[in-house]
Amino acid sequence: GLAVAVVKQGKIVLMRTYGVREAGRNEKVTPDTVFRIASLSKGFASTLAVLEQSEGKLNLQTRVTTLVPEFKLKRPADAARVTFEDVLSHRTGLPPYAYDNLLESGTPPTQILTAYGRVKQTCSPGECFTYQNVAFNMITTLIEKATGNSYPTELRERILGPLDMRTASVGQNDLLASSNWARPHKRVGEGWVPVPVTDYYYKVPAAGGVNASITDLSKWLIAQMGYRPDVLPKAVLDEAHRKRISTPPETARQRSLKTPVTETAYGLGWRMYKYASNTLFTHSGSVEGYIAQIAWLPDQDAG
């Protein structure tokens, strides 16, 4: 199954769905069919954190180890330097996707944070971009300490609810409780076979725990493009979208794909490309059986 939408000047100009929610069953994908959106979740977490910072509730320059003492690096002095802004921009110095394999084998995230103390660092914090999932999720601790709410509750109260994202949720239980959700599938021969929903990345909800329909993601896109300042003020969006670090591995990947991308960078939970001379904000995400993508061209006011 597939769902797609196009937004222009703050309005949905195309929304289409294709296929079925589960192979072998005649339950069509609709605009309200819920999918896992995987790493598109990072844009929600970072935007929420910047929103809370704008209200004086938290400070992204806070050192991570003051709130997450489990977090270690091979060089202890480096661990003490890492800020939550570094976390949201993947500048911890860890190797890319550090110990995602342990997460996928069932190791609790807190144990993984401590195990990072045995890992050879790619660079010192702040000096290079190395994409993370377990480390990224440390932002939930800052948000929860600052607000007194659980991360899912705070996300619902500050973003999902105000944007009227009625089918969006956080966590596996909420996905399975939906009456209209797309099952994950894998390719087998010439066809597709449903597979069980895995919970590994639901254990790091800021990095990969959000579920949403195309109707919801259209509302999210409209807000990110600046058309819901009552929920996400322009200053908050500008701060989340502001370039923090260049991303040479992504530039090389785009070059290998022969896309017209000449520069790539990362802000807070968002990628930015120079695409055929246009600025493009984007993020992709995948977990077993699901793929999601969001992108917009601010100069064209389209996404």
Side-chain angles (χ1 to χ4, degrees):
L2 172 70
V4 61
V6 177
V7 168
K8 179 74 173 176
Q9 296 176 345
K11 304 292 184 183
I12 298 169
V13 296
L14 177 147
M15 183 178 286
R16 292 188 183 160
T17 61
Y18 305 85
V20 294
R21 286 154 37 193
E22 182 175 358
R25 298 174 66 92
N26 192 31
E27 297 171 335
K28 294 185 181 299
V29 173
T30 72
D32 290 326
T33 297
V34 178
F35 295 79
R36 295 183 70 177
I37 64 169
S39 283
L40 269 62
S41 305
K42 293 181 172 73
F44 285 86
S46 59
T47 302
L48 176 60
V50 174
L51 178 63
E52 305 280 14
Q53 177 174 257
S54 73
E55 297 168 347
K57 295 178 181 177
L58 58 81
N59 185 346
L60 291 175
Q61 299 309 314
T62 300
R63 306 289 180 175
V64 168
T65 53
T66 63
L67 294 180
V68 190
E70 299 88 354
F71 175 64
K72 309 293 182 185
L73 289 177
K74 197 170 185 67
R75 297 191 291 267
D78 280 354
R81 289 173 44 202
V82 174
T83 67
F84 284 98
E85 183 173 318
D86 292 327
V87 166
L88 292 180
S89 53
H90 302 287
R91 297 180 296 173
T92 60
L94 287 163
Y97 303 93
Y99 280 156
D100 280 4
N101 60 317
L102 292 185
L103 182 69
E104 293 173 8
S105 68
T107 303
T110 52
Q111 290 184 24
I112 295 173
L113 294 176
T114 300
Y116 287 153
R118 304 193 299 267
V119 176
K120 181 180 178 181
Q121 295 170 221
T122 299
C123 65
S124 295
E127 293 183 359
C128 66
F129 172 87
T130 56
Y131 193 86
Q132 305 298 325
N133 284 304
V134 178
F136 189 95
N137 191 63
M138 292 190 291
I139 192 61
T140 60
T141 300
L142 180 63
I143 291 170
E144 289 175 347
K145 295 275 189 182
T147 65
N149 279 332
S150 70
Y151 175 72
T153 296
E154 190 66 11
L155 188 63
R156 278 196 301 269
E157 291 185 357
R158 298 308 312 275
I159 290 180
L160 304 183
L163 291 180
D164 196 32
M165 297 175 65
R166 299 181 185 182
T167 64
S169 63
V170 180
Q172 182 178 16
N173 289 341
D174 282 357
L175 175 74
L176 301 182
S178 171
S179 61
N180 181 358
W181 63 282
R183 274 58 175 173
H185 291 76
K186 67 178 180 180
R187 191 80 166 172
V188 176
E190 295 299 311
W192 295 93
V193 175
V195 295
V197 175
T198 58
D199 69 348
Y200 315 126
Y201 290 94
Y202 280 131
K203 294 176 182 176
V204 286
V210 176
N211 315 301
S213 65
I214 196 65
T215 297
D216 296 324
L217 277 187
S218 298
K219 294 173 181 178
W220 177 236
L221 176 57
I222 288 167
Q224 286 292 325
M225 292 171 67
Y227 285 94
R228 288 300 306 272
D230 56 315
V231 180
L232 300 180
K234 182 178 185 300
V236 168
L237 296 175
D238 288 347
E239 181 67 5
H241 300 160
R242 178 169 64 84
K243 174 183 174 180
R244 297 313 199 280
I245 192 164
S246 295
T247 57
E250 181 63 13
T251 305
R253 189 178 78 89
Q254 293 296 327
R255 188 177 297 120
S256 72
L257 295 172
K258 296 182 169 55
T259 68
V261 173
T262 53
E263 298 174 30
T264 67
Y266 207 89
L268 299 181
W270 293 101
R271 293 188 184 275
M272 50 213 66
Y273 296 167
K274 187 62 68 174
Y275 184 99
S277 299
N278 292 280
T279 297
L280 174 73
F281 291 102
T282 186
H283 215 286
S284 60
S286 64
V287 291
E288 188 175 15
Y290 298 92
I291 295 176
Q293 181 84 37
I294 188 170
W296 73 96
L297 296 157
D299 294 339
Q300 306 290 333
D301 203 9

